[in-house]
Amino acid sequence: MTALAHETLEAVMPKVATPPSDLDDVLWQAWKAMELPEGYHAEIVEEFIEVSPTGRYSHGRITNRLRRALDKFLDAGEFAAHQDINVVHKRKVWIPDLLIALEHAEEHVTEDGLGIQASAVMLIAEVVSPGKDSLERDRERKRRAYARAGIPVYLIIDDYDGHGTVSLLTGPVPGEARYASEVRMPYGTEVIVPEGPAKGFAIGADITGPLLDQA
């Protein structure tokens, strides 16, 4: 948990009128009461509230390329690419960089209107941000969390893995918090989504850019 998350959690807990029954309820009520500075968002990943800033330019550029390409690929179908939507699963909440769900998904919105149920999400994509905590969140903690929720396809675009890699995880095993299958390829090599609404969609250099110079 970041220092900002810790301070914010302490600030909002006195506002909780009914003592929560367990840690999940504590985190959920605290998350709902949080008021963050502009440019930050909060998620509940595993057993922590994680506060992080919005992405830097390179992060946003890749995310926007992916969104535009998926919009074209999914055009005229019932599914669409979405951004800035909370995904909720058993008192956990994530704000992925991009997700695929029904274009009109109102029936899958949570009762409180705070987000969309994870069971309605067909694909989640995360563009990795720099920093040890950010790397571990997208590569490890969210991998486990999305597998537990049964998200069918998890796409990771990672500038910080060697010279850039795309990882595509499928076959979630919720009880073991893992994916049964993983394809991991360097930037410049097309990775094809094998299932779901985006089946056949290629993630290549037009989205990620070429291999990076950094080690």
Side-chain angles (χ1 to χ4, degrees):
M1 183 185 299
T2 65
L4 176 60
H6 181 72
E7 292 170 3
T8 307
L9 181 58
E10 288 184 337
V12 300
M13 281 311 298
K15 302 176 185 177
V16 177
T18 304
S21 59
D22 56 29
L23 178 59
D24 283 346
D25 283 340
V26 170
L27 295 174
W28 181 254
Q29 292 185 47
W31 175 81
K32 289 197 295 183
M34 292 179 82
E35 296 180 7
L36 295 175
E38 185 176 353
Y40 287 85
H41 65 251
E43 304 172 281
I44 305 177
V45 183
E46 296 194 319
E47 305 307 323
F48 298 91
I49 294 178
E50 301 201 22
V51 177
S52 55
T54 53
R56 58 177 61 194
Y57 173 76
S58 60
H59 178 283
R61 179 178 59 189
I62 292 174
T63 303
N64 287 329
R65 286 174 180 168
L66 179 61
R67 168 70 184 271
R68 289 195 298 269
L70 278 169
D71 280 340
K72 292 179 181 178
F73 187 87
L74 298 169
D75 188 40
E78 59 180 343
F79 289 89
H82 303 271
Q83 291 176 278
D84 300 320
I85 292 179
N86 296 325
V87 177
V88 179
H89 177 71
K90 295 182 178 179
R91 290 293 193 266
K92 301 293 187 290
V93 59
W94 316 295
I95 310 173
D97 291 321
L98 184 144
L99 64 90
I100 292 178
L102 289 168
E103 182 170 9
H104 303 289
E106 288 78 9
E107 66 182 281
H108 300 287
V109 174
T110 58
E111 290 183 5
D112 51 19
L114 289 175
I116 187 173
Q117 297 286 356
S119 57
V121 176
M122 300 293 103
L123 177 149
I124 279 179
E126 298 283 7
V127 179
V128 177
S129 296
K132 183 177 183 293
D133 191 64
S134 295
L135 296 175
E136 290 179 351
R137 179 172 58 248
D138 289 339
R139 294 175 182 173
E140 299 175 21
R141 296 194 294 276
K142 281 193 169 181
R143 175 194 296 239
R144 293 192 297 264
Y146 293 155
R148 286 191 191 98
I151 302 297
V153 181
Y154 179 29
L155 169 65
I156 306 172
I157 299 177
D158 193 343
D159 273 359
Y160 306 95
D161 182 8
H163 296 275
T165 63
V166 175
S167 296
L168 195 64
L169 294 92
T170 55
V173 185
E176 299 178 15
R178 68 178 180 88
Y179 282 90
S181 178
E182 177 179 0
V183 174
R184 178 171 166 269
M185 301 295 289
Y187 282 7
T189 305
E190 286 194 343
V191 178
I192 309 297
V193 177
E195 63 181 76
K199 181 177 181 179
F201 178 77
I203 304 100
D206 56 329
I207 293 171
T208 65
L211 284 171
L212 301 173
D213 293 333
Q214 64 199 51

